[in-house]
Amino acid sequence: MKRIMLFSIAACAIFFACQKNNFPAGSDSEIVQHILQKNLSAADMNAADLSTLQSSTLRSGHHIYRLHMGKENILLETDGTNQFVKGAIYTIAGAISKSNNHTTYSGVFDRSDLSRKNNVHWSIDKGFARELHSFNGVATNGSGQQHVNYECADCTLPEVTVSASYPPSGGIDWFSWMSLLSMFDMGGQNDYIAIQWISSGGGGVGSAPVITIDTESPENKDKIEPKKYTDCFGSIPDNNTTLYTVTISTDLPTDGHPEIFYNWNDRSPGHAFIELNKSTPYGGVTQDFGFYPTSSWKLVTLDNVTLPSKLVDDGGHEYQARYTISVSAAQFQAAIYAVNSARDTYNVGNYNCTDFALDVFNAAGGNLSIPRHSIPGFEVDGGSNTPQGLYEKIQSMQNGGTANTTTTNNKEYAGSSKGPCN
């Protein structure tokens, strides 16, 4: 998966009080209190509410702390040795809005360093900070700022994005998340934190995840002729073959969070794909196939339309869960036939990448059915097959002791495909 970030981040001093001081070991509350006492004014220190303190951990091992300060918020970053790295005072105000199939966040964002200098004001338009983006060099909002072209928005994820979660009781809950990189110049480039959080209360420290959103760009993936790939299996004589396998894999849009659906118009739908392998003691052939629309997700999701599809080479694609079965020669040929007979249309709710992967896997005798979920904005009767549902099924099978099932909270990567052979 590729994440394109086209704007640059200015020097740390512009946005934060940047310094490094050694702090004594202690509890999170003690560390944060020490940082605040050294960097806030007396008035701000008096308003800081340590009972609302919440911590999050980045993949780098650094820690993010947030707490309320009246109607404002404080954000701090420390490294693995409790050294203060950066801090900011910020406010964000806005709301989730829905139009057609688009669910987005709009509002305003203000930030300063801990000494209340180097102020920044951004207008959040459908998730994007207008001041950070340029759109064909045309200012259309009358204030000299660039207006967001929602259908591309210079092809990044938004600074503020909206997700939906399905709780155990059913239904849909909506959440808004801020990009750590664009808002605070810290963390991975597709790491996000929740805008709203629940106070820990009682002087304790609450914990909240930093989620990592993955993206897909179907328009950047070349269409393949599947028969040129499946013909490669003919280069291995059947009488020398010792193993035929078929593997189904799923890549969640949010690593480690199968319950979270990201808006497919935000370029983060998740993905499922299929891998075929024919091998001998002396080598073999592996090919990975993924099913995509020929156009961008934004066109797919604009009106829940059906668009032409394509198969692509998904060798090297990441995944969070996979399931491999050994099959007979006849079952392997049935899988090949299913690949070469893939549908020529793509629809988010009715026939997507997960449907294709299941069709091929089950043609080979996989006999796999998965929980179906309503995709927010694209609901169909009975629900849809999704990467999340596939992850849930494989995880359940793994917990039940099914062989050759793998899940991870991070990600693994498929091997390379051999490619075309004629």
Side-chain angles (χ1 to χ4, degrees), residues 103-124:
T103 304
T104 57
Y105 185 97
S106 296
V108 294
F109 178 83
D110 291 282
R111 184 185 66 194
S112 70
D113 59 31
L114 296 180
S115 64
R116 294 193 175 275
K117 298 178 180 179
N118 301 310
N119 297 324
V120 173
H121 173 83
W122 291 337
S123 299
I124 309 300

Side-chain angles (χ1 to χ4, degrees), residues 157-179:
L157 282 171
E159 281 71 50
V160 179
T161 189
V162 178
S163 72
S165 288
Y166 51 90
S169 58
I172 297 293
D173 291 340
W174 293 94
F175 300 92
S176 297
W177 306 80
M178 293 185 295
S179 166

Side-chain angles (χ1 to χ4, degrees), residues 223-285:
K223 180 178 181 179
I224 64 169
E225 295 183 40
K227 191 174 185 303
K228 290 186 177 182
Y229 277 64
T230 58
D231 281 353
C232 296
F233 296 116
S235 65
I236 302 175
D238 290 345
N239 58 358
N240 288 337
T241 299
T242 57
L243 185 65
Y244 299 92
T245 62
V246 180
T247 300
I248 190 168
S249 302
T250 184
D251 174 25
L252 296 171
T254 307
D255 293 351
H257 291 273
E259 79 282 2
I260 295 180
F261 283 93
Y262 265 87
N263 293 325
W264 288 36
N265 53 316
D266 285 346
R267 300 164 53 85
S268 49
H271 187 56
F273 60 100
I274 206 80
E275 179 177 283
L276 306 182
N277 174 266
K278 181 179 180 181
S279 59
T280 75
Y282 314 104
V285 171

Side-chain angles (χ1 to χ4, degrees), residues 54-59 62 64 66 165 175-178 180 190-198 206-212 254-257 259-260 262:
Q54 183 188 77
S55 68
S56 303
T57 302
L58 299 174
R59 287 174 291 173
H62 285 208
I64 299 297
R66 288 189 294 169
S165 288
F175 300 92
S176 297
W177 306 80
M178 293 185 295
L180 292 180
N190 52 349
D191 284 345
Y192 282 71
I193 58 176
I195 286 180
Q196 303 294 337
W197 76 90
I198 298 174
S207 179
V210 174
I211 62 169
T212 302
T254 307
D255 293 351
H257 291 273
E259 79 282 2
I260 295 180
Y262 265 87

Side-chain angles (χ1 to χ4, degrees), residues 123-146:
S123 299
I124 309 300
D125 182 0
K126 297 177 181 176
F128 293 90
R130 288 189 301 210
E131 290 80 355
L132 289 177
H133 297 275
S134 175
F135 301 93
N136 301 320
V138 178
T140 61
N141 65 359
S143 65
Q145 297 171 340
Q146 304 298 322

